[in-house]
Amino acid sequence: MSDDIESFIHVFLYMVLRYHVVDIPDLYDFVSSYFESFATVRVVLDDKVWMVRRGGGRKWMNFKAASSANSVKNNPRLQQLLEEIAYGCYTSYATIDEARMGEVYGLPEDPVDENDEQVQHSHPPSDDLDLSTM
């Protein structure tokens, strides 16, 4: 269930970025790095080795911030909702045992620095998505 909530938040943020005026200097780069980047990490569970994809550091950083990193222009109610969502994520993610998560998933100590991840991938947005209109 928590994964479903997290997915909803990512979709909601995408819709805000897609259909509202926001204060992000390079929206195309932000959307590409937030939604398209991932890392492949080696995980050992039950004596089996798995290669696991996980989101990049920007998503992690976003959920660990007490306030929204995105600012919606001319819509204070939506901005307030983004702030409340950010704070809810912050309080939830504050309970994560990052040391244990690092042991299991091989996360870097500083997840914001994506250059330290074992393999970093970035896919260009699909052709049917015109981010220039954002």
Side-chain angles (χ1 to χ4, degrees):
M1 174 133 159
S2 63
D3 289 339
D4 294 336
I5 294 170
E6 183 176 325
S7 295
F8 169 81
I9 292 168
H10 293 308
V11 170
F12 183 75
L13 176 59
Y14 176 82
M15 299 305 284
V16 168
L17 297 173
R18 179 73 175 99
Y19 294 105
H20 294 274
V21 178
V22 293
D23 188 17
I24 298 175
D26 193 337
L27 187 56
Y28 181 87
D29 283 346
F30 178 86
V31 169
S32 295
S33 67
Y34 189 93
F35 293 102
E36 300 294 332
S37 292
F38 63 89
T40 303
V41 294
R42 184 176 176 268
V43 176
V44 179
L45 291 172
D46 300 325
D47 297 324
K48 295 180 184 176
V49 177
W50 304 83
M51 296 306 289
V52 177
R53 287 185 180 179
R54 66 171 180 83
R58 190 177 291 259
K59 286 181 183 174
W60 181 261
M61 182 178 65
N62 190 49
F63 278 3
K64 290 188 64 171
S67 63
S68 176
N70 307 299
S71 178
V72 178
K73 294 185 177 184
N74 304 322
N75 194 333
R77 292 179 70 191
L78 179 57
Q79 184 62 42
Q80 180 61 34
L81 178 57
L82 289 173
E83 296 299 333
E84 290 172 13
I85 290 171
Y87 187 74
C89 292
Y90 167 77
T91 57
S92 179
Y93 270 61
T95 65
I96 292 175
D97 182 348
E98 291 185 45
R100 177 67 181 136
M101 200 168 167
E103 290 172 10
V104 174
Y105 296 104
L107 299 178
E109 287 190 22
D110 183 7
V112 177
D113 186 5
E114 293 182 357
N115 294 325
D116 290 340
E117 294 174 347
Q118 291 181 3
V119 180
Q120 182 67 34
H121 305 275
S122 183
H123 298 285
S126 62
D127 292 336
D128 61 341
L129 179 62
D130 183 10
L131 295 176
S132 65
T133 62
M134 294 175 133

